[in-house]
Amino acid sequence: MAERKNEMKGRCAMSVPDGGYLPKIVIVGRPNVGKSSLMNMMAGRRISIVDPTAGVTRDRVSTPVEIPNLERGLEPNYAELVDTGGYGIEDTQNLTADVERQIEIGIADADLVLFMVDAQQGLVPLDYTVASVLRKSDLKTPVLLIANKVDGSTHEAGAYETSGLGFGDPLMMSAKNKNNEYALYRAIREKIDFDHLASMGDAVTKPDEGIKVAFVGKRNAGKSTFVNALVGDDRVIVSDELGTTRDSVDVPFKRDGRKFTAIDTAGMRKRKSLADDIEFYSHHRSLRSVRRADVCVMLIDASVPVSQVDKQLVNEIRKHFRATVFVINKWDLAEKTYTKEQYVEYMDKALGAMSYAPIVFTSAKDKKGIHEAMDIVMALYNQTSLRLSTSEVNTFIGALMQLRGPSGGKSGKRAKVYYAAQISVNPPTIALNVNHPELFDNNYQRFMMNRLRDVVPYSEVPIKFVIRGKQKITAEERIRAKKEGERLLPRGYRFVEGVDTPDHPDVIIDDFSEMDD
């Protein structure tokens, strides 16, 4: 294992705390034997798309997984689990060679190969082909043969037949139904000596994804090309064919000593244009990637006009308050038609709702502008992670109220802000405790937002407002609190430990628990 670790230096190995090494477990096999189902079972969530259509998975899809320690009281270990495409698939977009190259790279990087076969269907010529590939690769890595889809004793005969592949007796299981799950973990622990790794000083602990950056955009905007250029490896398949990427692919890398996870996503389409279940699942995994990202990189194809799909994706990003940099890709194809100033003006008109977001011009194919874009990603991450003191927020809001308070309209009500504080980061979230929440409508919130961007240190990221009014306390609650000696708080309020309120030592703020996505 020590030799394997040294070989991995310089590659895109998944990061773990203290520079430790995370073993790679790579799943291989012909199409439709259940590789993606096994991936999702071990990960405990849907990562790879599972569909009866052969050849759904194309790229190497990886995720950190917990390998339980079957001895009671001992902590689990972790590994990087990699799902690969089905070997030998006749891809409808002529990507067979690309898929097989990704499989071969995965095998070469593996610390353990899980070779899956279908016990119900029995051995077919492609199973022997995969076995031959594993042998011809001069593989010194251990191989665990798994006979999948063993849902009962009637399937065991087909499972035993797989012993003829030359990798010993199979482990019989059903990934879909989790049959024999713990036998799988026991077998993995027999193949990977986690205790030996720990004794060598390798920190085989829960991995750190670092800063998660989702690369999003419509189809053929250049997302996969950008990710490959960024990590310096053909980590995801690039093709001129539309819809090449189907799964959301996590690619860990380091830059300037910081850990990152680049999330390459499937190209977005109009919902009504989704052709089948595969595109539907790809679409929703892309949206999920937006939600889990710290920063979004939205690629715009400069060679074509901004489309309705681009606008819909911007709305999705805004809905989740994600810091975003617009990357104008394929600029080499557009710079003869536009100046950068002209294109920025065009973007402001087309996507004006996010005019605060920075713009960078790139050509991912030529690796131009890649590092400039990542410098901006880092700056946005730092901005969205900033927290202002309560006194600063109250000063800013107080100045805004003096400059122009909300209009009371015909009601004649006068708006007051009792208290303001930043209660969260990523996105920076400012809570206002006011007397009449209805006066702080969308128009006034936009006014506050525009003015705040002139003074706060996170002017290029989304800012979220949460506005609440005080709730009255009933007489019964007052009597009960007095009898029990409790400090009287309005319903829905709580004390906040450690809030910076030097001028208001007894201040309370709302429990804004519904903010969590």
Side-chain angles (χ1 to χ4, degrees):
M1 190 68 71
E3 293 177 359
R4 292 288 309 151
K5 183 185 70 171
N6 292 331
E7 290 173 10
M8 288 300 297
K9 288 182 178 179
R11 296 181 183 172
C12 287
M14 189 164 284
S15 302
V16 295
D18 305 320
Y21 177 67
L22 201 66
K24 277 191 176 182
I25 302 174
V26 179
I27 309 170
V28 301
R30 63 177 174 84
N32 270 13
V33 294
K35 299 183 297 298
S36 294
S37 294
L38 180 64
M39 171 87 158
N40 294 342
M41 184 204 81
M42 293 180 66
R45 58 192 176 97
R46 295 178 180 177
I47 295 176
S48 290
I49 295 175
V50 177
D51 191 87
T53 305
V56 173
T57 302
R58 290 168 170 169
D59 295 294
R60 283 175 285 149
V61 181
S62 65
T63 187
V65 295
E66 182 180 292
I67 307 299
N69 199 318
L70 302 181
E71 294 185 31
R72 183 174 296 179
L74 296 181
E75 293 295 319
N77 297 105
Y78 291 85
E80 180 183 358
L81 185 64
V82 183
D83 185 17
T84 63
Y87 198 91
I89 183 65
E90 292 298 326
D91 190 84
T92 57
Q93 294 178 307
N94 299 316
L95 298 174
T96 300
D98 296 287
V99 173
E100 292 183 358
R101 182 168 180 269
Q102 291 291 319
I103 297 171
E104 289 166 2
I105 294 172
I107 292 172
D109 286 351
D111 295 291
L112 171 63
V113 173
L114 304 182
F115 177 15
M116 292 194 74
V117 294
D118 185 337
Q120 292 188 20
Q121 189 174 1
L123 293 180
V124 300
L126 265 180
D127 292 318
Y128 290 100
T129 301
V130 176
S132 178
V133 168
L134 290 174
R135 281 192 289 268
K136 287 181 180 178
S137 62
D138 193 26
L139 193 67
K140 297 179 181 178
T141 301
V143 176
L144 175 60
L145 180 64
I146 298 176
N148 192 32
K149 305 183 184 180
V150 180
D151 295 319
S153 57
T154 55
H155 303 136
E156 291 182 1
Y160 281 119
E161 177 190 353
T162 64
S163 301
L165 292 170
F167 294 97
D169 292 335
L171 184 146
M172 302 181 195
M173 69 173 299
S174 171
K176 181 180 178 181
N177 299 319
K178 296 187 177 182
N179 291 346
N180 236 6
E181 178 182 6
Y182 284 98
L184 170 65
Y185 292 129
R186 187 176 294 107
I188 289 174
R189 298 189 76 88
E190 290 173 357
K191 299 288 186 179
I192 299 177
D193 192 342
F194 289 101
D195 292 334
H196 179 60
L197 276 175
S199 69
M200 291 163 49
D202 289 321
V204 190
T205 53
K206 189 172 184 178
D208 175 15
E209 292 182 300
I211 301 169
K212 298 182 289 295
V213 185
F215 292 81
V216 298
K218 62 189 176 189
R219 303 199 297 178
N220 266 20
K223 300 180 294 298
S224 297
T225 302
F226 194 106
V227 170
N228 285 345
L230 178 62
V231 302
D233 186 19
D234 292 336
R235 183 59 181 80
V236 283
I237 296 173
V238 174
S239 171
D240 290 333
E241 294 285 342
L242 294 173
T244 301
T245 301
R246 287 171 170 171
D247 293 284
S248 291
V249 182
D250 286 13
V251 184
F253 68 99
K254 282 187 177 182
R255 183 177 185 271
D256 297 334
R258 295 294 299 265
K259 299 172 184 176
F260 293 83
T261 296
I263 309 170
D264 186 22
T265 64
M268 301 295 289
R269 300 182 69 188
K270 291 181 180 179
R271 190 183 298 269
K272 65 181 181 181
S273 301
L274 300 179
D276 50 32
D277 286 348
I278 296 171
E279 288 195 355
F280 175 82
Y281 294 132
S282 295
H283 177 87
H284 281 275
R285 276 164 171 73
S286 295
L287 297 182
R288 187 174 68 186
S289 296
V290 169
R291 294 193 293 271
R292 60 183 282 248
D294 296 308
V295 180
C296 288
V297 173
M298 182 170 172
L299 280 90
I300 302 290
D301 186 343
S303 66
V304 297
V306 170
S307 68
Q308 187 63 30
V309 173
D310 293 314
K311 296 176 182 179
Q312 289 173 352
L313 186 50
V314 163
N315 288 336
E316 186 69 23
I317 291 172
R318 289 182 64 221
K319 184 170 73 175
H320 296 288
F321 295 88
R322 289 296 174 257
T324 302
V325 54
F326 288 112
V327 170
I328 313 304
N329 195 31
K330 306 182 186 180
W331 181 242
D332 53 309
L333 302 179
E335 59 184 346
K336 294 180 181 178
T337 307
Y338 301 97
T339 64
K340 290 182 179 180
E341 291 76 13
Q342 288 173 331
Y343 201 89
V344 169
E345 185 177 346
Y346 167 65
M347 283 284 291
D348 284 344
K349 291 180 180 178
L351 304 173
M354 290 184 66
S355 58
Y356 57 84
I359 297 174
V360 62
F361 295 84
T362 70
S363 174
K365 182 181 67 173
D366 299 325
K367 300 183 180 180
K368 293 180 178 179
I370 301 294
H371 295 294
E372 181 184 353
M374 287 306 297
D375 287 341
I376 294 176
V377 165
M378 196 66 236
L380 293 182
Y381 178 78
N382 290 336
Q383 286 186 42
T384 198
S385 302
L386 283 173
R387 184 186 291 271
L388 296 177
S389 70
T390 301
S391 58
E392 288 176 308
V393 175
N394 277 285
T395 299
F396 293 152
I397 298 298
L400 288 181
M401 291 291 291
Q402 287 185 355
L403 179 65
R404 189 191 114 190
S407 171
K410 294 181 180 180
S411 67
K413 295 178 181 178
R414 184 178 177 183
K416 290 183 180 179
V417 176
Y418 297 121
Y419 178 73
Q422 182 177 340
I423 60 173
S424 184
V425 296
N426 200 7
T429 303
I430 295 177
L432 303 179
N433 192 341
V434 304
N435 59 342
H436 297 298
E438 70 277 7
L439 300 183
F440 293 78
D441 57 14
N442 290 335
N443 289 332
Y444 189 73
Q445 288 187 41
R446 278 193 293 271
F447 164 75
M448 287 195 298
M449 191 82 69
N450 292 334
R451 291 290 181 169
L452 277 176
R453 290 193 186 282
D454 294 334
V455 293
V456 296
Y458 35 68
S459 60
E460 296 177 306
V461 301
I463 302 171
K464 187 174 183 179
F465 285 117
V466 179
I467 299 174
R468 287 273 188 93
K470 283 187 175 181
Q471 295 185 5
K472 294 183 179 180
I473 303 173
T474 66
E476 290 80 5
E477 288 173 329
R478 290 179 182 275
I479 294 171
R480 180 187 57 80
K482 188 174 182 180
K483 285 182 178 179
E484 297 179 4
E486 294 179 1
R487 178 114 181 239
L488 198 60
L489 298 179
R491 289 191 304 278
Y493 284 64
R494 63 183 171 90
F495 289 106
V496 178
E497 297 292 337
V499 172
D500 179 18
T501 54
D503 301 325
H504 306 277
D506 297 324
V507 78
I508 54 177
I509 68 171
D510 276 314
D511 181 2
F512 298 102
S513 57
E514 85 286 349
M515 283 187 345
D516 298 331
D517 292 330

